[in-house]
Amino acid sequence: MNVETVMRELELLGKERTKKIYVSNGAHEPLFGVATGEMKPIAKKIKLNQPLAEELYNTGNYDAMYFAGVIADPKAMTEADFDRWIDAAYFYMVSDYVVAVTLAETDIAEQVADKWIHSGEELKMSAGWSCYCWLLGNRRDSEFDESKLAAMLERVKNTIHDAPERTKYAMNNFIYTVGVSYLPLHDKAVETAEAVGPVEVERNKRLIASDRIQKEVEKGRIGFKRKYVRC
């Protein structure tokens, strides 16, 4: 399949209701409004195809950018490729659920995520923290440096309330993910969540990591790992 064929198929799958939901979250034209589950039959036909993924991502169409992440070959991507993708990610559903997810399947994930976290740019920081969430939820605890993650929890505790909006969401999710998916620092994550307290975000919402972690404790889900990063 070529880029024109994929774009036609995506357009046929678009729904106005889904499009409105995406727009309310920050997407803008061009987009079709395709539910992610509807993309699976096309993805099964294509499997991994990095050249096609690049063409689709470069369209700037949100649905095509998302689908690019589904068929991308992460191991064929370089740090420069990921920097190019994050530069084109114009809202969090691309930065955190396309770019960060794809990055999490590579051997360079931590070094790129670390650079983004320290960039001072909202969506890069959000993608960096989100990448760690995807990593922690999938990889074995033994693959991580405990002291590094502990220092990252301290960084979150000291800076989250002054962070940009979307970065707050990702940092809060990092506390939660460490508390649920990384057993060596479960207790420290709980302490961090309690120290941070409610995090104020847009529309008078409050993010409370401690409540989310406690719910997972009650369900017996501490130590949870996903089998795959991308579905």
Side-chain angles (χ1 to χ4, degrees):
M1 296 179 78
N2 59 28
V3 65
E4 291 80 12
T5 305
V6 174
M7 292 298 284
R8 281 198 300 272
E9 295 214 15
L10 289 174
E11 186 172 12
L12 290 172
L13 293 170
K15 299 279 194 308
E16 195 61 33
R17 183 166 176 268
T18 305
K19 183 175 179 177
K20 285 178 180 176
I21 293 170
Y22 292 161
V23 169
S24 72
N25 279 281
H28 59 57
E29 295 286 357
L31 78 161
F32 304 129
V34 184
T36 56
E38 296 290 318
M39 296 179 178
K40 288 184 178 180
I42 313 175
K44 282 183 180 177
K45 288 187 225 172
I46 298 171
K47 298 187 169 55
L48 299 185
N49 187 324
Q50 187 59 32
L52 180 56
E54 291 288 355
E55 288 188 83
L56 289 165
Y57 196 85
N58 290 337
T59 65
N61 176 296
Y62 168 66
D63 301 288
M65 294 173 85
Y66 188 96
F67 188 68
V70 174
I71 65 166
D73 181 358
K75 296 192 168 43
M77 296 181 71
T78 65
E79 182 171 340
D81 292 327
F82 282 107
D83 283 340
R84 184 163 40 78
W85 277 36
I86 196 64
D87 285 341
Y90 67 88
F91 79 123
Y92 79 95
M93 287 173 68
V94 180
S95 63
D96 295 14
Y97 297 103
V98 178
V99 184
V101 172
T102 308
L103 177 60
E105 293 200 349
T106 71
D107 294 333
I108 59 172
E110 288 195 38
Q111 73 182 60
V112 176
D114 290 345
K115 180 177 72 173
W116 291 350
I117 285 169
H118 289 86
S119 70
E121 297 177 45
E122 181 174 12
L123 291 182
K124 284 186 179 180
M125 292 190 290
S126 180
W129 289 108
S130 294
C131 181
Y132 270 95
C133 294
W134 295 112
L135 289 168
L136 289 162
N138 171 252
R139 299 189 185 184
R140 296 187 303 272
D141 288 351
S142 59
E143 295 183 45
F144 298 94
D145 180 338
E146 182 178 339
S147 62
K148 177 182 178 180
L149 294 179
M152 291 174 73
L153 283 172
E154 283 295 311
R155 181 184 178 92
V156 171
K157 182 175 73 173
N158 295 330
T159 63
I160 188 169
H161 291 291
D162 296 319
E165 196 73 10
R166 286 314 315 181
T167 311
K168 285 181 180 177
Y169 279 92
M171 293 171 96
N172 186 76
N173 199 40
F174 176 78
I175 301 172
Y176 162 80
T177 306
V178 174
V180 172
S181 295
Y182 186 69
L183 287 175
L185 289 177
H186 168 76
D187 290 342
K188 183 170 178 62
V190 171
E191 290 169 11
T192 303
E194 290 171 351
V196 165
V199 178
E200 304 289 338
V201 290
E202 61 203 352
R203 299 173 187 171
N204 297 316
K205 284 180 65 177
R206 299 198 310 165
L207 310 176
I208 308 176
S210 56
D211 288 357
R212 291 180 65 204
I213 295 171
Q214 183 56 36
K215 286 177 183 176
E216 299 303 323
V217 169
E218 291 167 3
K219 292 176 184 176
R221 282 168 55 86
I222 300 305
F224 167 77
K225 299 285 184 182
R226 296 181 193 85
K227 190 172 182 181
Y228 304 104
V229 178
R230 290 185 294 180
C231 297

